[in-house]
């Protein structure tokens, strides 16, 4: 490189830098390590972290620890799949396109919708994209979102809305569910969409049919964010009148990891098909009559005029979507029902044991799936520190995002927790309180 630049030394290369501006001592860095020493160092450093292998986890609030069958990693680790990105010459990658097509089919079957896209970045961004769809479909620029929706989803929705001049108004909560009176008071013919979560952030199961009717009476779209594992047991949003269904797909075969990467699910009706962000893979036949797959819809800015684009989403989470596809295919219909039932039954067992303690009350009485809120006679951060000393990751501090729910904890119980795990949580919590 020095020869190309026409200088004979590194010193000559930096000759233009004044001597007074030069750093003239050694950098304050640790001594260099060999590969073996480096591995040992970082393993010791990582060992200081608390992790979900050594602790019992009862924390959910949007990211859930489920069992991931070994077949998932075995398939997604194959070299032909091992990229998180969609190929730019997709038709030569028939295997990848078929995997995405199967993913779309699974999402449609889980949600009861007509069309799914190839996935988005994560649940919250899918939630924001749904607002673009609702506003485009109704030619309105205001949406209502329930406060029973995950606070982070609501924040992302507001960020999306800010950039597109979409007004976002929140609807209150009554007994852990959407306050129907507040919704009716705020809903009029200026509202593009009503956004809810199912089960909601508190674990509660909303009455989707009633909410859909209320939204449709003002010709607003009804948008539902789902927990896909719950779809093994609950009636699908599509059957209840949803126009757009979104959700976080992490629970389907993707490790909880450190908060990502995850995948956003988005499905809708045939009427809204051309407003889908991202891309859709379709099935066709080639000139020899063989089954083949193609990118069918790509209504994004890179491919069409900006004013006609539905979104600037340029990619999909192909590898994470493949993990979800493998998981659901491996579990099958019965398996998805079984895992949903296990979540429901174990969560209700935990709720019954915990609310029998003298200083613990259930926060709501509405039906719930695998998460529920309890109120304690103690500071939640203190309780969680004490639980962690016993090897238990406690619940989400609801007071951190809902000031009216101070000293309230949101707990998640998945199929991974045994009766002994739950009994230990009850025992330790009783001792702390």
């Amino acid at each position: 490189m020095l020869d190309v630049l026409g200088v004979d030394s590194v010193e000559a290369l930096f000759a233009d830098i004044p001597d007074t501006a030069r750093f003239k001592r050694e950098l304050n860095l640790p001594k260099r390590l060999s590969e073996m020493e480096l591995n040992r160092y970082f393993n010791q450093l990582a060992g200081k972290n608390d992790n979900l292998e050594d602790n019992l986890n009862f924390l959910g609030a949007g990211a859930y620890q489920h069992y991931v069958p070994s077949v998932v990693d075995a398939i997604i680790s194959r070299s032909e799949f091992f990229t998180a990105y969609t190929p730019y010459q997709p038709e030569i990658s028939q295997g990848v396109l078929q995997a995405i097509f199967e993913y779309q089919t699974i999402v449609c079957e889980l949600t009861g919708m007509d069309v799914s896209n190839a996935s988005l970045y994560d649940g919250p961004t899918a939630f924001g994209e749904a607002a673009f769809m609702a506003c485009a479909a109704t030619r309105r620029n205001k949406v209502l979102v329930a406060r029973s929706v995950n606070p982070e989803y609501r924040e992302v929705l507001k960020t999306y809305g800010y950039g597109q001049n979409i007004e976002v108004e929140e609807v209150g909560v009554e007994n852990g569910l959407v306050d129907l009176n507040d919704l009716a008071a705020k809903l009029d013919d200026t509202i593009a969409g009503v956004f809810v979560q199912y089960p909601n952030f508190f674990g509660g199961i909303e009455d989707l049919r009633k909410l859909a009717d209320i939204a449709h009476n003002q010709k607003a779209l009804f948008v539902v964010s789902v927990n896909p594992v719950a779809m093994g047991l609950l009636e699908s949003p599509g059957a209840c009148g949803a126009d757009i269904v979104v959700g976080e797909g992490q629970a389907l075969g993707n490790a909880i990891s450190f908060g990502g990467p995850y995948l956003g699910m988005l499905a809708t009706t045939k009427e809204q098909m051309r407003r889908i962000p991202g891309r859709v893979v379709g099935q066709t036949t080639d000139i020899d009559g063989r089954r083949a797959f193609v990118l069918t819809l790509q209504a994004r800015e890179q491919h069409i005029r900006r004013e006609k684009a539905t979104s600037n989403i340029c990619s999909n989470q192909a590898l994470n979507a493949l993990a979800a596809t493998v998981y659901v295919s491996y579990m099958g219909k019965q398996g998805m029902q079984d895992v949903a039932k296990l979540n429901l039954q174990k969560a209700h067992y935990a709720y019954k044991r915990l609310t029998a303690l003298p200083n613990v009350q259930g926060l709501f009485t509405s039906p719930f799936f695998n998460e529920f809120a309890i109120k304690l006679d103690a500071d939640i951060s203190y309780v969680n520190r004490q639980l962690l000393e016993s090897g238990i990751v406690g619940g989400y501090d609801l007071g951190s995002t809902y000031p009216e729910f101070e000293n309230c904890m949101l707990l998640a119980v998945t199929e991974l927790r045994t009766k002994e795990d739950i009994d230990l949580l009850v025992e330790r919590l009783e001792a702390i309180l």
Side-chain angles (χ1 to χ4, degrees):
M1 185 183 78
L2 293 176
D3 290 341
V4 172
L5 294 173
V7 294
D8 57 6
S9 67
V10 173
E11 183 63 27
L13 182 65
F14 296 114
D16 291 337
I17 299 176
D19 187 63
T20 54
R22 296 194 181 196
F23 193 75
K24 296 181 179 178
R25 61 177 173 81
E26 294 292 321
L27 293 172
N28 183 23
L29 296 173
K31 69 179 181 67
R32 65 183 179 184
L33 300 175
S34 68
E35 180 178 331
M36 187 172 64
E37 291 171 326
L38 200 63
N39 277 329
R40 184 183 300 121
Y41 170 76
F42 277 110
N43 282 333
Q44 291 172 343
L45 195 64
K48 295 180 179 180
N49 291 324
D50 289 307
N51 62 72
L52 300 186
E53 297 300 323
D54 299 331
N55 296 278
L56 301 178
N57 179 36
F58 290 91
L59 178 62
Y64 300 95
Q65 187 187 14
H66 291 283
Y67 181 71
V68 179
S70 57
V71 66
V72 174
D73 281 344
I75 291 181
I76 68 173
S77 298
R78 289 178 63 93
S79 59
E80 59 267 44
F81 286 124
F82 210 52
T83 170
Y85 212 68
T86 296
Y88 267 108
Q89 292 179 306
E91 275 65 39
I92 66 170
S93 303
Q94 286 293 300
V96 173
L97 289 187
Q98 182 173 356
I100 295 174
F101 181 81
E102 302 293 350
Y103 161 81
Q104 295 171 177
T105 304
I106 285 170
V107 171
C108 288
E109 291 186 354
L110 284 174
T111 59
M113 304 304 287
D114 298 324
V115 188
S116 162
N117 75 355
S119 76
L120 296 169
Y121 298 134
D122 54 21
T125 54
F127 202 66
E129 293 288 338
F132 292 174
M133 291 178 63
C135 290
T138 60
R139 298 183 184 276
R140 303 170 180 175
N141 66 344
K142 182 177 180 180
V143 299
L144 296 180
V145 58
R147 287 192 77 236
S148 54
V149 169
N150 188 317
E152 294 182 359
Y153 283 49
R154 286 185 274 130
E155 288 301 312
V156 171
L157 177 62
K158 291 173 185 173
T159 301
Y160 264 68
Y162 177 78
Q164 295 288 326
N165 296 319
I166 297 172
E167 184 180 353
V168 179
E169 186 173 3
E170 295 189 346
V171 176
V173 173
E174 176 67 30
N175 191 27
L177 302 176
V178 176
D179 184 336
L180 298 181
N181 291 327
D182 193 33
L183 174 61
K186 293 174 178 174
L187 183 61
D188 55 30
D189 61 5
T190 68
I191 302 300
V194 174
F195 288 63
V196 304
Q197 191 174 358
Y198 176 69
N200 66 32
F201 185 63
F202 306 117
I205 301 172
E206 305 277 4
D207 186 341
L208 293 191
R209 290 184 185 277
K210 185 176 290 184
L211 291 167
D213 287 343
I214 294 172
H216 291 156
N217 283 340
Q218 291 292 345
K219 300 188 185 310
L221 297 194
F222 184 46
V223 182
V224 182
S225 175
V226 300
N227 174 346
V229 171
M231 296 302 97
L233 199 58
L234 302 180
E235 188 171 21
S236 72
C240 297
D243 299 292
I244 305 171
V245 179
V246 298
E248 173 53 67
Q250 172 267 323
L252 302 176
N254 284 263
I256 197 168
S257 192
F258 298 96
Y262 294 165
L263 70 145
M265 302 159 46
L266 190 147
T268 189
T269 59
K270 288 180 181 176
E271 290 74 20
Q272 306 302 331
M273 180 172 63
R274 290 192 172 276
R275 295 189 173 89
I276 283 181
R279 62 195 69 190
V280 176
V281 173
Q283 179 177 260
T284 185
T285 54
D286 65 12
I287 58 174
D288 298 319
R290 296 174 299 184
R291 187 189 190 200
F293 300 91
V294 295
L295 282 184
T296 305
L297 287 175
Q298 300 179 84
R300 57 179 177 146
E301 291 181 1
Q302 282 185 327
H303 291 156
I304 63 177
R305 287 185 295 173
R306 173 171 292 186
E307 61 270 22
K308 290 184 175 295
T310 58
S311 166
N312 195 34
I313 286 281
C314 296
S315 182
N316 77 290
Q317 298 286 82
L319 190 65
N320 299 88
L322 177 64
T325 305
V326 175
Y327 176 83
V328 177
S329 301
Y330 180 74
M331 298 293 285
K333 183 178 180 180
Q334 188 61 50
M336 291 299 294
Q337 292 174 345
D338 290 345
V339 75
K341 287 178 182 175
L342 282 172
N343 278 252
L344 179 83
Q345 292 164 353
K346 293 187 176 189
H348 281 254
Y349 173 75
Y351 179 84
K352 184 178 179 181
R353 288 291 323 274
L354 287 166
T355 52
L357 296 176
N359 297 315
V360 179
Q361 298 175 315
L363 184 60
F364 308 118
T365 58
S366 51
F368 63 88
F369 176 55
N370 69 348
E371 278 186 298
F372 57 87
I374 56 175
K375 183 174 178 57
L376 309 178
D377 289 338
D379 177 71
I380 301 301
S381 58
Y382 166 78
V383 171
N384 277 335
R385 285 196 302 273
Q386 296 297 308
L387 286 173
L388 193 56
E389 289 184 5
S390 301
I392 296 174
V393 178
Y396 177 85
D397 183 355
L398 281 173
S400 65
T401 45
Y402 295 85
E404 66 271 35
F405 297 144
E406 186 180 6
N407 293 344
C408 295
M409 177 186 284
L410 181 67
L411 291 157
V413 185
T414 72
E415 75 280 4
L416 287 175
R417 298 284 69 87
T418 65
K419 179 177 180 298
E420 290 72 24
D421 296 340
I422 298 169
D423 290 343
L424 180 61
L425 170 67
V426 175
E427 176 189 311
R428 292 305 308 144
L429 193 58
E430 183 177 24
I432 294 168
L433 297 176

